[in-house]
Amino acid sequence: MAPATDDDVRQPLLAGQRRPELTTIDPVPIDDGPPPGSEAQDDSDVAGLDGTFKRNLGTIEAFAIIISIVIGSGIFTSPGAIDTNVPSVGAALLIWVVGGVLAWTGAATMAELGTAIPGEGGVQPYLQYIFGDVFGFLAAWTWIVAVMPATLAILSIVFVESIYSAAGQTDGAGSIVHKLLSILILVVVTLANSISTTASNRLNKLFVGTKFVTIFLIVVAAIVVVALQVSDPHRDVGGRDWYTHNWFDFRKTVTPDGREIDWRDVSQWEMLGHYSAALYGALWAYSGWDKAIYISAELSAPARQLPLSINTAIPTIIICFITANAAYYVLLPWDVVSTTDSVAVTAIARLLGPAFGIVAAVLICLVVVGSLLGNSFVAGRMAVAAARRGWLPDLFAVVGRVGFRSNEFATGHGGPGDDGRPASDAPINALVLSTIISALYILLGNFRALLTFNGLGEYTFFFLTVLGAIVLRFREPELCRPYKPILLIPVIFAVVSGFVVVRGAAFAPFQTLILGAVWLLGLAIYLTQRWWASRRE
């Protein structure tokens, strides 16, 4: 593929391409660029082509948002669940590599769509363009009422559980105090994101630094242990298993409930089930790889910046995850890794004592807050995009204020404009909606149930979106694609994500039924909107 020119990366995406008519109910006008068949505008015109938010983000901001969202609780909580389901330490590290590569294939496909199809709201415009209005609506509906609120609820719960773990309490997750504290941290993060886009990006960059520092300290601790052990083979420091055992030999693992698995007695079919469970844990840890597309409408040169941010952030994350997990196996006995859900805190506390364990817990809490902040930032923008298409009330398309919409939109500079426009460009009403739904999930759900519910909803539409990208390759081969990975990449992800959905639905029928009910309710709302619109005509 020929490299994109400066004009290519700045022009409105899909300029001059055919687009289907989109059906909405009294939408706020959306300016996605020149009408079909028109010539692309020059750079000065493009600079002013704004949706709800100004195109004032760059590659660094997109990179920071991906890092902030993906490096969250997963790298500090998932290693135990993965280790339990694989026969060797080497296999566990390979699962982390495979999970990262799969996340990369999905992100690369999303980048292809994000540089070819314009619009705010992540997968909404892609599914709307490829499969029709109803698929775009159901994607938006699922993300707004299920996926993103469940994600925010999970992260809020994990934050409070980290505090409880640091204090030596591990059985308070279901208490009302625990739930209220989870809601409190959620409200604080919402208030932080309600200031402005500029403030949110500055906080994201701060928390990105915290994430890298935390992983760096864990890896340095492991390097010190390796150096001490090699210099004195008889020294008892860290977990000596890394030094005395082959990393790819089968070993018995212990589940959190105390059951021991002897992998030599496990059938091939059972082994496949265990590997599937391990991969599911890795994909959860990598979740968030898609989030750059949700702010693609705010990138100043999306055709260049979106692929660049994804193709630098995802490899960086894979390296961080692999090195951190290798460090855990150096710092801890291998039978401990499989039985703890707080592997980082356990490793540091065992090496340096309880006081340093508390320090590690504080750093991990900051990492989780960073992920919570990034996901909340994205959640608000999804609701705004849906409202501007008429799928939600206009109230949720407002930025910069609480209340019903005016004719003014924010400048995106984070300060008051000369024309009296709002000083803030934060989607406050949308953030409040997301917070309320997330608070209900916290009160009514628990970590494991919400995790499965979130994964089912998310990967169903990931599968449909990537399948749509494959369909579009054959249906519209001439579609302008500034970024176009080889066809094998979306095919691999479609196969794996389809498997994840089927497996999840089979093993979690209750969450599947709830998700089905959410879709039926969304479909009923969509059909009611269509009926009401036809009556008004």
Side-chain angles (χ1 to χ4, degrees):
M1 187 192 83
T5 65
D6 287 343
D7 288 340
D8 292 333
V9 298
R10 293 187 59 84
Q11 72 178 15
L13 304 177
L14 260 191
Q17 302 288 344
R18 179 179 62 81
R19 291 182 60 188
E21 293 299 320
L22 305 181
T23 304
T24 57
I25 311 301
D26 292 332
V28 178
I30 302 176
D31 185 1
D32 281 330
S38 66
E39 295 296 325
Q41 300 178 4
D42 60 28
D43 281 357
S44 61
D45 293 333
V46 172
L49 282 172
D50 300 331
T52 307
F53 306 96
K54 190 174 181 62
R55 290 186 180 272
N56 61 352
L57 301 183
T59 305
I60 293 176
E61 287 78 14
F63 174 90
I65 287 171
I66 298 172
I67 295 291
S68 181
I69 291 175
V70 177
I71 302 181
S73 62
I75 184 57
F76 305 110
T77 59
S78 289
I82 293 172
D83 184 79
T84 300
N85 286 290
V86 293
S88 70
V89 170
L93 295 179
L94 287 176
I95 287 290
W96 283 100
V97 173
V98 171
V101 171
L102 289 174
W104 201 352
T105 63
T109 306
M110 294 294 182
E112 174 188 341
L113 294 173
T115 56
I117 301 174
E120 302 169 340
V123 300
Q124 298 176 28
Y126 312 153
L127 289 171
Q128 189 176 26
Y129 182 86
I130 298 167
F131 295 122
D133 202 48
V134 65
F135 282 88
F137 174 87
L138 286 177
W141 172 258
T142 303
W143 248 258
I144 292 166
V145 305
V147 171
M148 292 309 300
T151 299
L152 297 176
I154 289 167
L155 291 170
S156 300
I157 291 169
V158 168
F159 177 88
V160 176
E161 283 187 353
S162 298
I163 296 176
Y164 272 56
S165 296
Q169 290 185 268
T170 58
D171 57 352
S175 69
I176 188 63
V177 174
H178 187 290
K179 291 178 180 291
L180 291 177
L181 287 174
S182 299
I183 293 173
L184 177 61
I185 186 62
L186 177 65
V187 170
V188 170
V189 169
T190 299
L191 291 174
N193 269 328
S194 297
I195 299 171
S196 70
T197 296
T198 301
S200 295
N201 281 322
R202 287 173 179 169
L203 286 171
N204 263 322
K205 291 176 183 177
L206 172 65
F207 284 117
V208 166
T210 304
K211 294 168 190 286
F212 284 139
V213 167
T214 303
I215 293 175
F216 176 76
L217 292 176
I218 291 172
V219 173
V220 167
I223 292 173
V224 171
V225 167
V226 170
L228 292 174
Q229 190 71 76
V230 172
S231 64
D232 183 358
H234 301 292
R235 184 192 297 267
D236 186 11
V237 58
R240 285 176 52 84
D241 288 342
W242 70 270
Y243 187 69
T244 58
H245 293 74
N246 187 313
W247 285 48
F248 287 91
D249 280 348
F250 277 24
R251 84 285 199 256
K252 296 179 180 179
T253 56
V254 181
T255 63
D257 59 6
R259 183 171 57 90
E260 187 177 75
I261 301 176
D262 187 342
W263 293 99
R264 293 173 180 81
D265 299 330
V266 175
S267 69
Q268 292 296 319
W269 178 251
E270 289 177 317
M271 186 79 77
L272 178 61
H274 281 291
Y275 273 115
S276 300
L279 181 59
Y280 199 81
L283 291 176
W284 152 247
Y286 283 106
S287 64
W289 48 262
D290 61 304
K291 293 303 185 291
I293 62 172
Y294 293 85
I295 49 95
S296 61
E298 299 173 62
L299 296 175
S300 56
R304 180 179 66 244
Q305 294 166 339
L306 184 61
L308 181 59
S309 62
I310 287 173
N311 289 326
T312 52
I314 301 298
T316 301
I317 292 164
I318 294 173
I319 292 170
C320 287
F321 282 12
I322 297 300
T323 54
N325 276 278
Y328 295 147
Y329 286 113
V330 170
L331 295 172
L332 288 172
W334 291 352
D335 60 348
V336 173
V337 175
S338 63
T339 56
T340 179
D341 287 331
S342 303
V343 63
V345 175
T346 303
I348 298 301
R350 191 177 185 279
L351 180 67
L352 300 175
F356 283 92
I358 293 174
V359 173
V362 170
L363 287 173
I364 291 168
C365 284
L366 292 176
V367 169
V368 173
V369 168
S371 185
L372 188 56
L373 185 81
N375 276 286
S376 175
F377 181 87
V378 168
R381 277 149 174 78
M382 287 216 66
V384 169
R388 296 190 76 231
R389 285 179 167 81
W391 294 337
L392 289 180
D394 285 353
L395 169 69
F396 298 110
V398 179
V399 296
R401 68 181 66 200
V402 178
F404 292 94
R405 80 178 188 89
S406 67
N407 291 324
E408 299 171 343
F409 287 100
T411 63
H413 296 294
D418 296 335
D419 53 1
R421 292 178 177 179
S424 170
D425 60 350
I428 300 175
N429 292 334
L431 288 169
V432 170
L433 173 67
S434 177
T435 302
I436 291 172
I437 299 175
S438 300
L440 291 175
Y441 281 132
I442 292 171
L443 292 172
L444 300 176
N446 61 70
F447 175 80
R448 292 186 182 274
L450 289 171
L451 187 62
T452 304
F453 180 68
N454 170 275
L456 282 171
E458 200 169 40
Y459 270 85
T460 297
F461 284 97
F462 285 163
F463 169 74
L464 288 174
T465 303
V466 174
L467 179 64
I470 297 171
V471 169
L472 210 58
R473 289 282 188 101
F474 297 95
R475 193 179 79 189
E476 298 185 32
E478 301 305 317
L479 178 69
C480 179
R481 294 175 174 86
Y483 180 74
K484 185 179 178 181
I486 61 173
L487 184 60
L488 181 63
I489 287 179
V491 168
I492 290 173
F493 185 84
V495 171
V496 174
S497 58
F499 169 76
V500 167
V501 170
V502 171
R503 178 194 175 278
F507 285 88
F510 178 74
Q511 287 93 329
T512 303
L513 287 174
I514 296 296
L515 190 61
V518 168
W519 290 337
L520 288 175
L521 178 59
L523 184 60
I525 292 173
Y526 173 80
L527 293 175
T528 301
Q529 287 183 338
R530 293 289 300 269
W531 174 79
W532 180 252
S534 64
R535 292 258 320 195
R536 293 179 63 183
E537 292 173 358

